[in-house]
Amino acid sequence: MRIARFSIDGNVAFGAVEGEGTVESGGLVLDIIKGIPYTDFELSGTKVPLSKVRLLPPVLPNKVVAIGRNYAEHAAELGNEVPDVPVAFFKPTTSVIGPGDVIEYPSFSNELHHEAELAVVIGRMCREVPRERVKDVVFGYTCANDVTARDAQKREKQWARAKGFDTSCPLGPWVETDLTLAAAGDLTIQATVNGEQRQLGRTSDMIRSIEDLVVHITEAMTLLPGDVILTGTPAGVGPLNVGDEVAVTIEGIGTLTNKVIKRG
Ligand code: MG
């Protein structure tokens, strides 16, 4: 099931996405959900065309834990070694935006980059998750863009500003809940800018698997329903300029599109 979060007439709701097509092409319908998707819920049968609503980030995470340098070719393209221990960092909740929202180019950077990433959405409170239980704590998957001020990342020892500025974490367009761990670990992932392909990879090229990352992160901290793990980006990262439209597409999930504007 594809679960979107949206607003209509000032109300926020979740809905199951039905039909074929994309956010842009139209033809999709939302069946409004009664209850909360992470626990028991049912479909209301009340349907609304997706074109009539504003899509929101599909989850409101308590935290976004992101992993750096998890694809060997991407680590190499920036002149970095593959780390012995996964590099983990946070993106704050104020960095999260939804499909169609704008990425605001921050004033302290002259080198903004896109990073297409598979995002894992956690479904239940968990800590010290053993490998065989990872499948029980994952709610589903969505697309993410770990937008990065590359110049600030190089300048500053920690990445809080470079990867945590407002609007630096587009998520969406919805959460796909029907993928197994094995399926999610072998999907095509790509980024285009103004329709031109920039990044292309497969999630099977991740150095640490989804299971590895959930075990590693929950060794340290409790994850809550709606928390998000960004799993790293494949090779091909590159510049975003004001006016660009960047799209992250993951096979079997969907396409997340955002435009870049100058911060006003
Ligand atoms: Mg990244």
Side-chain angles (χ1 to χ4, degrees):
M1 186 181 285
R2 295 171 292 175
I3 297 180
R5 192 170 147 267
F6 62 96
S7 70
I8 184 167
D9 302 330
N11 298 309
V12 174
F14 288 93
V17 181
E18 297 175 354
E20 299 296 320
T22 64
V23 174
E24 287 75 19
S25 71
L28 295 171
V29 171
L30 291 160
D31 190 335
I32 295 175
I33 283 173
K34 280 199 285 188
I36 298 168
Y38 305 100
T39 57
D40 277 345
F41 70 92
E42 44 188 287
L43 300 178
S44 69
T46 303
K47 299 191 182 187
V48 49
L50 190 138
S51 58
K52 293 274 191 283
V53 310
R54 179 179 171 215
L55 286 180
L56 301 172
V59 286
L60 275 187
N62 174 270
K63 57 190 166 298
V64 177
V65 188
I67 300 297
R69 298 170 191 163
N70 200 29
Y71 288 75
E73 273 184 49
H74 166 65
E77 75 181 340
L78 296 180
N80 295 309
E81 301 279 322
V82 170
D84 294 334
V85 177
V87 180
F89 58 95
F90 291 114
K91 290 175 83 80
T93 54
T94 42
S95 70
V96 173
I97 59 172
D101 289 342
V102 292
I103 298 164
E104 294 183 346
Y105 205 117
S107 57
F108 60 86
S109 175
N110 291 305
E111 192 187 16
L112 205 61
H113 276 193
H114 53 82
E115 293 191 359
E117 309 206 3
L118 174 72
V120 180
V121 180
I122 298 299
R124 55 168 77 169
M125 186 161 101
C126 58
R127 192 175 69 172
E128 294 178 15
V129 179
R131 176 168 299 271
E132 63 275 13
R133 295 291 309 277
V134 170
K135 62 178 184 338
D136 302 327
V137 306
V138 172
F139 177 68
Y141 303 90
T142 190
C143 307
N145 195 341
D146 174 21
V147 183
T148 301
R150 192 71 70 202
D151 45 358
Q153 186 191 19
K154 289 173 189 157
R155 253 187 337 250
E156 301 176 17
K157 197 152 192 173
Q158 296 217 356
W159 304 345
R161 291 191 343 138
K163 285 174 171 284
F165 62 88
D166 288 359
T167 74
S168 66
C169 190
L171 295 176
W174 41 63
V175 178
E176 172 57 71
T177 62
D178 288 338
L179 292 169
T180 62
L181 278 169
D186 194 15
L187 301 172
T188 302
I189 176 167
Q190 64 168 325
T192 63
V193 176
N194 305 325
E196 186 181 304
Q197 189 172 286
R198 291 276 191 83
Q199 293 184 268
L200 178 63
R202 287 194 79 74
T203 55
S204 52
D205 293 330
M206 289 196 289
I207 296 162
R208 272 89 183 191
S209 67
I210 297 162
E211 289 101 318
D212 292 337
L213 298 179
V214 171
V215 169
H216 183 70
I217 292 164
T218 64
E219 202 173 62
M221 69 189 80
T222 300
L223 294 177
L224 301 175
D227 278 353
V228 170
I229 299 172
L230 304 193
T231 54
T233 198
V237 299
L240 288 173
N241 295 304
V242 170
D244 283 349
E245 186 175 85
V246 56
V248 174
T249 300
I250 303 178
E251 178 188 5
I253 300 177
T255 298
L256 166 68
T257 306
N258 301 91
K259 239 185 155 148
V260 183
I261 65 159
K262 191 171 159 41
R263 186 182 285 182

